[in-house]
Amino acid sequence: MRSSRALIFAGSILLLGSLSLGQTGNRTPPIDLDSPIVQTDSPVTRDCKEADWSLLETPAAKDLLSDYDFDPFLPGQCKAVDVKWLPSVQILRLDAATTGVDDFREITLLRASSNSRLWLIPILHGLVGYQDTPGNPHNLAAFNDLLRVAKLKVTDGNLWEVSDLYQFLVGMPVKSNPHPPRTLKDAMSVNDIAGSIEHGDGFTDFTHREKFGDTWSSQYMVWEFRYITSGEFGRLVDVERKTLKQLNASK
């Protein structure tokens, strides 16, 4: 049975039943409804450096590119992510520079540390995306390798950041809203609910919406994450991306 629930308004967490707008004291500070909402792409990326590019030249990377039929892979763009809870990690999103018509190639390479296994997540080959990329067991295993090496406990405080990183790995990063509500008060006035958190017996469910909808269909889309939070470190065990209609039908 789910024991508690939280709603997230435009990136700010409101824990229902535990926050009071006028409450003071040690446990819960008052909420400033006039505080500005600052939104950025999540995670924040940077251009790859020489050390990042070198990962692509390792024998392990070359073997993976061949195994996944991405060989030859002539890198075009490369974006990297620095993860504060796992400084040893290397995460690269790579687009291939190809001359063929409609021959688009995108992958993610990730390695939790220099001694860890190298993973390749295929995102796009030609004009075809890979089936069930969000919930693919291979992608979940690659991500959980990062959580295991970091021994990261997944909590309400880092849930959003951790989930955003997973979306980046599978080629669906969270983009900032070009016209966000300016303050929490503005967000609440239009009931701009960005997501929800629910806790059960040893697990946490996190649901959030995409700000702009699906690129191809323009449908309102939501993500559902389930984490096991009872162990030594968190584990992502299920991810679904669906339309709002599908979400409502499943309830």
Side-chain angles (χ1 to χ4, degrees), residues 8 167 246:
I8 305 169
Q167 287 187 225
Q246 291 171 327

Side-chain angles (χ1 to χ4, degrees), residues 152-169:
L152 184 72
K153 285 281 191 179
V154 177
T155 67
D156 288 2
N158 63 23
L159 193 57
W160 195 288
E161 175 190 3
V162 170
S163 302
D164 284 357
L165 180 60
Y166 181 78
Q167 287 187 225
F168 175 82
L169 297 184

Side-chain angles (χ1 to χ4, degrees), residues 207-219:
T207 303
H208 82 84
R209 63 172 174 80
E210 293 182 7
K211 297 180 179 70
F212 309 116
D214 185 76
T215 302
W216 299 102
S217 67
S218 300
Q219 293 189 82

